[in-house]
Amino acid sequence: MTTRLADTFARCRADGRAALVTYVMAGDPDPETSLAVLRALPAAGADVIEFGLPFTDPMADGPAVQAAGLRALKAGQTVTKTLDLVRRFREENRETPLILMGYYNPLYTYGVARFLADALAAGIDGLIVVDLPPEEDDELCLPARAAGLAFIRLATPTTDAQRLPAVLANTAGFVYYVSITGITGAATPDFSEVAEAVARIRARTDLPVVVGFGVKTAAHAAAIARAADGVVVGSALVDALARSLDLDGRATSGSVSAVTALVRDLAAGVREGRNGQAA
């Protein structure tokens, strides 16, 4: 298994701060713009990148990410083309952890063994596949870990003490805590409840605990960063990109900077969060 994730969280801990985890959709609104955004994220302050794999039926995603996936699919994005973008990213960046986030159907269709080999060769560090519960670990989780890829599991506000051990059993890389009950970008989390949930999960695992869903602003990021090992922001970044597009849905000269400007703000919020300061 690559050490990029462990090394990154260790570096952030040494810096006395949480990690900023950013989500963007592969191929949105076109492959070249998507690659330009991907390449620009680390310099803007992203510590870990989640790269969304577009799918027609994204049950966990809110309107912003759904729209991004549809734009990407319309532009012809596939699993193969997504892995190609990762390869091109790795030509310039060998340090930033990159997690592929999506749904099982495209990976099953691609072929699990083939996908795992190609993902590892491309430079993927881990997978988040939201529609595979622990009961289906034989499908992808265990093969992924055997191949050297972290399989990152989601815990939610409804994951009780009886369910949590199953969620954590084969998780690697980090634990992703979903801060709201619902889809991505749907609501603002209750930060005190998030802190309690993070503490409860930390008592059961040595893995970093990162928090996402509903984090939109630097102030939100700062509040989450006071308790968590990492803060995930996705819908807000996808929205920033969408607002930069022209009337035909095409990228403009301001598309990349629209995303990176928000990432810089979020990174500042994350850094200030551990100091208890307002972002």
Side-chain angles (χ1 to χ4, degrees):
M1 192 170 293
T2 71
T3 64
R4 278 187 287 254
L5 274 169
D7 292 346
T8 295
F9 282 105
R11 184 175 66 252
C12 291
R13 283 194 299 272
D15 290 343
R17 65 176 180 88
L20 176 60
V21 184
T22 57
Y23 171 97
V24 292
M25 179 67 71
D28 176 31
D30 61 77
E32 293 307 313
T33 302
S34 178
L35 179 60
V37 170
L38 191 64
R39 286 172 168 166
L41 289 172
D47 297 298
V48 180
I49 299 171
E50 293 178 4
F51 208 29
L53 184 63
F55 181 50
T56 53
D57 299 287
M59 64 182 185
D61 294 317
V65 177
Q66 288 183 30
L70 291 176
R71 287 192 297 268
L73 291 170
K74 184 178 179 180
Q77 195 67 17
T78 63
V79 174
T80 299
K81 291 180 179 180
T82 297
L83 294 178
D84 182 60
L85 291 179
V86 175
R87 289 188 192 95
R88 295 171 65 189
F89 172 76
R90 285 289 179 227
E91 291 172 359
E92 299 183 2
N93 185 310
R94 304 295 299 179
E95 293 80 33
T96 304
L98 202 154
I99 308 300
L100 194 65
M101 183 171 185
Y103 298 83
Y104 186 45
N105 184 280
L107 309 184
Y108 177 82
T109 303
Y110 191 93
V112 168
R114 175 189 169 210
F115 168 74
L116 293 175
D118 291 352
L120 195 64
I124 294 290
D125 295 285
L127 307 173
I128 300 174
V129 183
V130 299
D131 54 349
L132 279 181
E135 288 75 14
E136 304 298 335
D137 275 357
D138 288 343
E139 287 285 330
L140 183 61
C141 173
L142 296 180
R145 294 198 59 173
L149 293 170
F151 195 90
I152 296 152
R153 188 83 69 194
L154 277 67
T156 75
T158 60
T159 304
D160 60 20
Q162 288 70 42
R163 181 62 172 170
L164 186 58
V167 170
L168 298 176
N170 292 313
T171 300
F174 59 86
V175 180
Y176 190 141
Y177 179 69
V178 176
S179 62
I180 59 173
T181 303
I183 54 178
T184 58
T188 300
D190 182 316
F191 300 117
S192 62
E193 290 183 0
V194 168
E196 292 173 4
V198 169
R200 177 169 56 86
I201 295 169
R202 277 203 183 122
R204 304 296 294 269
T205 181
D206 293 328
L207 291 171
V209 181
V210 307
V211 177
F213 282 50
V215 182
K216 302 181 181 69
T217 68
H220 291 170
I224 296 293
R226 290 175 194 132
D229 300 297
V231 181
V232 186
V233 183
S235 294
L237 298 177
V238 170
D239 261 338
L241 178 62
R243 289 193 299 269
S244 78
L245 305 179
D246 67 18
L247 294 179
D248 295 316
R250 294 175 299 200
T252 66
S253 60
S255 290
V256 175
S257 61
V259 178
T260 56
L262 179 54
V263 172
R264 283 191 291 271
D265 286 344
L266 293 163
V270 166
R271 289 178 181 276
E272 292 171 356
R274 285 292 174 89
N275 296 323
Q277 300 171 358

